[in-house]
Amino acid sequence: MDFNIRDIRDYYDSEVQDYDYKELISLGISHDNADFMVSIGVPKEYNDFVFYGTDTLQKTIMEGVQCITIGHYASFGMRNSYGLYLKEGSDGLFTTSSLHEPQLYMLNKNLRTFFMFHFIKNEVAMKMRQQGEYTSNKYACELRRLFEQIDPLPMKDVESFWSHLVEDYETGL
């Protein structure tokens, strides 16, 4: 199954943030992430994720690491939202969780991969359902296989967002 990241925009239910490449670079965002933010685009809201505009992006120090806050994650029913961070000068997309040690951990190797995981999650489910092949466990196996090919680190961390998501499908939750 081939995936074109540009097609992720079909899943955006909100406006795309308007970013200036030079401003992003001057803030310390990597060239790859800045390119994605400008050329593909980042929605203001996507599922339970909120992404900030240029005027709200800010530098912060998380667990001794210089980061840029680019948004937050707040699932329905959660008491606290978790920040979304890019490490200054590197590609990694990070978040925090009180259930994870250390609390700051890598969500994906970059923004492109984060949105690619969401795109794959949607496309695989749709294809399996159309072909009458969908079962929760089969879907989880395919997600795990594809995610591990693209960005294996989130799947190795059993407490990560993506690992938990796949595990929920494996156990039928």
Side-chain angles (χ1 to χ4, degrees), residues 59-77:
K59 289 187 178 189
T60 187
I61 296 179
M62 296 294 303
E63 297 185 357
V65 177
Q66 187 73 33
C67 296
I68 301 127
T69 306
I70 64 162
H72 68 271
Y73 168 73
S75 183
F76 178 76

Side-chain angles (χ1 to χ4, degrees), residues 56-94:
T56 315
L57 300 177
Q58 64 183 30
K59 289 187 178 189
T60 187
I61 296 179
M62 296 294 303
E63 297 185 357
V65 177
Q66 187 73 33
C67 296
I68 301 127
T69 306
I70 64 162
H72 68 271
Y73 168 73
S75 183
F76 178 76
M78 286 175 50
R79 292 183 191 182
N80 299 319
S81 63
Y82 298 110
L84 293 171
Y85 309 96
L86 295 172
K87 275 191 183 177
E88 190 172 343
S90 73
D91 287 335
L93 175 63
F94 292 78

Side-chain angles (χ1 to χ4, degrees), residues 44-147:
K44 291 181 179 181
E45 295 179 21
Y46 188 76
N47 293 335
D48 295 329
F49 296 90
V50 175
F51 293 91
Y52 304 154
T54 304
D55 58 335
T56 315
L57 300 177
Q58 64 183 30
K59 289 187 178 189
T60 187
I61 296 179
M62 296 294 303
E63 297 185 357
V65 177
Q66 187 73 33
C67 296
I68 301 127
T69 306
I70 64 162
H72 68 271
Y73 168 73
S75 183
F76 178 76
M78 286 175 50
R79 292 183 191 182
N80 299 319
S81 63
Y82 298 110
L84 293 171
Y85 309 96
L86 295 172
K87 275 191 183 177
E88 190 172 343
S90 73
D91 287 335
L93 175 63
F94 292 78
T95 191
T96 55
S97 171
S98 58
L99 304 174
H100 196 279
E101 189 56 43
Q103 288 188 354
L104 180 69
Y105 72 94
M106 187 180 287
L107 194 56
N108 284 103
K109 63 183 177 183
N110 55 35
L111 274 172
R112 178 181 303 275
T113 304
F114 171 79
F115 282 103
M116 181 61 88
F117 272 31
H118 280 283
F119 181 61
I120 288 169
K121 181 177 150 296
N122 294 326
E123 289 291 303
V124 168
M126 184 173 58
K127 181 181 176 193
M128 286 180 146
R129 285 188 173 106
Q130 287 173 344
Q131 296 175 346
E133 299 174 352
Y134 182 91
T135 67
S136 184
N137 193 51
K138 187 173 182 179
Y139 176 59
C141 289
E142 184 64 5
L143 286 182
R144 183 174 297 281
R145 184 184 74 76
L146 292 168
F147 289 174

